[in-house]
Structure formats: C-alpha cells, structure tokens
C-alpha cells in the first residue's frame, strides 16, 4: 500500500557532506510516481563514459554522434560531458510529455534520483546520500537495496566504481605534469573515455583497452618518459 505525498521538485544540494547517509539495509520508502518533475528545468547532468555508451546503444548511434547532439563538454583538468536541456523546453532532451524515452538506458544520476553517490577511491566502497524528495509516493517495507536493484544501479556498480577510480587517477596524473600540449591530451582523453566505443561490444573490456592505449600516449604527451 502506498501513500502519495505532495508533488514537486526536491531540494537539490551539491554539498554531499551536508546530506544524511543511508545504508543499503535501511528503509527507503520512496517510489517514483512518474510525474517527470525531476526531468524539468533541472541542472545539467554529468555523464560517465558508461552513461554515454548506454545512451548510444539505446539510440543505435555512435557515442560521438550522441554527444554532439545532446551534450556539451565540461572544462577542467579532466574533460567530461554534461547533458544539456532542450533549447525549446528547457527540459531533459529525452523527456516526452511526462515520460523518459530512454528510461532503460538513463544516466546514473537519473537512476539514483533522489540519491547522491560517493565512491571511496581507495576501497571502491560506495556511500549513498539522501535528499528529502517532495515528489513521488511511499511504499513501506522497502529498503535502499531494493531501490538500487530495481533502478539498475546495483548491476552497474562495479563499472561505475572502476570509472570513478580511473578518472581520479588520470586527473592526478595530468595535474602533476608541468607542461604538455593541452589540446592533444584533451583529445586523447575524450576518445579513450567517451568516444572510441563500438556499441555492438560490451563497454568494460573496451574501456580497459582504451585506458591501456591512453597510458602509452600520455607518457609521451606529458613528457613522463623524459622524467628522471
């Protein structure tokens, strides 16, 4: 039996430390009511390489084509991609009426909603943070683990942790370089992390192969071979 709550947008926060943690075995009664509010006029969503790959596979298009159509590159030491809202509606470009047209391949940030996630870069341990939702419904007897399983977060958890750890290591590596050709390094990173994937093959083996190739290229571009 579910009890509806008042619809609306929940208070998004960028300060994870200010949010309460919730363990997988704890009660988590939130159930999406399908209102689509979390897809309207919200902040842009950061995508991982796996997010882009899953969208590309769902749309049957190359990852670079999907990125050019729906994303914008972020600035920073390590480049990334963010999903940009539709110019016409200001909403997620995959929102049609009140429904997500790529629901089975939605990005991790969407699958987690209304949760935040943090991954320990040493232990791969994942913590979840709760933002009180002002939408949806409640279903008693459900735990956070039930929600993660139903949202598809559990099955991709290993790949997401590997991605986070790999990106953190790459960022430290680039930051440690004194001088390097930024455009060339940027291009190598974007290809290895986001673009050089065949949607007919699985993501993780391709990422591992790309990181191996990237390692050799970065040694040359960052001048690591010449360091004492």
């Amino acid at each position: 039996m579910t009890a509806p709550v008042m619809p609306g947008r929940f208070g998004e926060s960028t300060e994870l430390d200010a949010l309460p943690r919730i363990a997988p075995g704890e009660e988590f009664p939130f159930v999406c009511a399908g209102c689509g509010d979390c897809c309207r006029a919200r902040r842009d969503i950061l995508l991982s390489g796996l997010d882009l790959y899953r969208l590309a596979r769902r749309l049957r298009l190359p990852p670079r084509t999907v990125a050019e159509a729906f994303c914008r590159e972020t600035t920073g030491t390590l480049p990334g991609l963010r999903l940009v809202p539709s110019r016409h509606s200001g909403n997620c470009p995959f929102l049609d009426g009140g429904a997500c047209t790529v629901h089975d391949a939605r990005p991790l940030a969407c699958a987690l909603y209304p949760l935040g996630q943090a991954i320990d870069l040493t232990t791969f341990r994942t913590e979840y943070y709760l933002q009180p939702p002002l939408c949806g419904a409640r279903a008693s007897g459900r735990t956070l683990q039930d929600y993660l399983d139903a949202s598809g977060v559990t099955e991709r958890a290993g790949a997401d942790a590997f991605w986070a750890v790999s990106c953190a290591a790459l960022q430290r590596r680039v930051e440690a370089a004194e001088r390097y050709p930024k455009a060339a390094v940027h291009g190598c990173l974007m290809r290895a992390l986001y673009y050089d994937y065949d949607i007919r093959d699985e993501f993780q083996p391709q990422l591992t192969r790309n990181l191996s190739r990237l390692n050799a290229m970065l040694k040359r571009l960052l001048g690591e071979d010449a360091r004492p």
Side-chain angles (χ1 to χ4, degrees):
M1 180 176 180
T2 63
V5 296
M6 293 299 293
R9 297 187 55 77
F10 71 73
E12 296 182 78
S13 172
T14 57
E15 299 296 330
L16 286 181
D17 289 341
L19 300 174
R21 292 172 174 80
I22 178 171
E26 290 186 60
E27 184 180 9
F28 185 66
F30 174 83
V31 177
C32 175
C35 67
D37 251 17
C38 61
C39 307
R40 295 188 178 97
R42 63 169 298 170
R43 295 188 309 235
D44 296 341
I45 297 173
L46 292 175
L47 302 183
S48 68
L50 177 58
D51 287 332
L52 180 64
Y53 167 86
R54 283 163 53 88
L55 287 171
R57 204 171 197 181
R58 172 66 175 78
L59 299 172
R60 299 181 181 180
L61 294 169
R64 186 186 291 269
T65 301
V66 175
E68 290 173 348
F70 301 107
C71 303
R72 185 172 300 159
E73 289 189 16
T74 62
T75 59
T77 304
L78 201 68
L81 289 174
R82 59 187 178 92
L83 193 64
V84 295
S86 165
R87 289 179 296 175
H88 303 291
S89 66
N91 300 327
C92 174
F94 299 116
L95 181 66
D96 183 9
C100 174
T101 59
V102 294
H103 189 265
D104 57 338
R106 64 198 186 281
L108 177 64
C110 304
L112 282 169
Y113 208 71
L115 300 166
Q117 182 193 75
I119 298 172
D120 187 291
L121 301 180
T122 302
T123 65
F124 279 41
R125 182 171 179 269
T126 301
E127 289 189 324
Y128 296 95
Y129 299 78
L130 176 62
Q131 301 182 86
L134 299 177
C135 61
R138 294 176 62 87
S140 60
R142 286 169 55 89
T143 65
L144 172 61
Q145 190 62 60
D146 293 331
Y147 185 80
L148 297 175
D149 292 345
S151 300
V153 174
T154 303
E155 64 182 352
R156 56 175 292 176
D160 289 322
F162 182 78
W163 169 268
V165 171
S166 298
C167 287
L170 286 170
Q171 180 164 327
R172 291 193 298 269
R173 189 173 175 184
V174 174
E175 288 175 342
E178 295 180 359
R179 296 181 180 179
Y180 59 90
K182 287 183 170 55
V185 170
H186 178 94
C188 288
L189 289 168
M190 289 301 296
R191 289 193 298 274
L193 296 175
Y194 288 99
Y195 297 149
D196 287 351
Y197 293 89
D198 189 330
I199 60 174
R200 295 170 298 181
D201 300 327
E202 294 303 313
F203 175 80
Q204 191 65 37
Q206 295 185 82
L207 173 60
T208 301
R209 183 178 66 243
N210 285 358
L211 290 176
S212 178
R213 293 173 178 172
L214 179 63
N215 178 58
M217 288 185 284
L218 287 181
K219 281 185 177 181
R220 176 174 55 83
L221 292 171
L222 298 179
E224 293 173 341
D225 289 332
R227 295 177 190 174

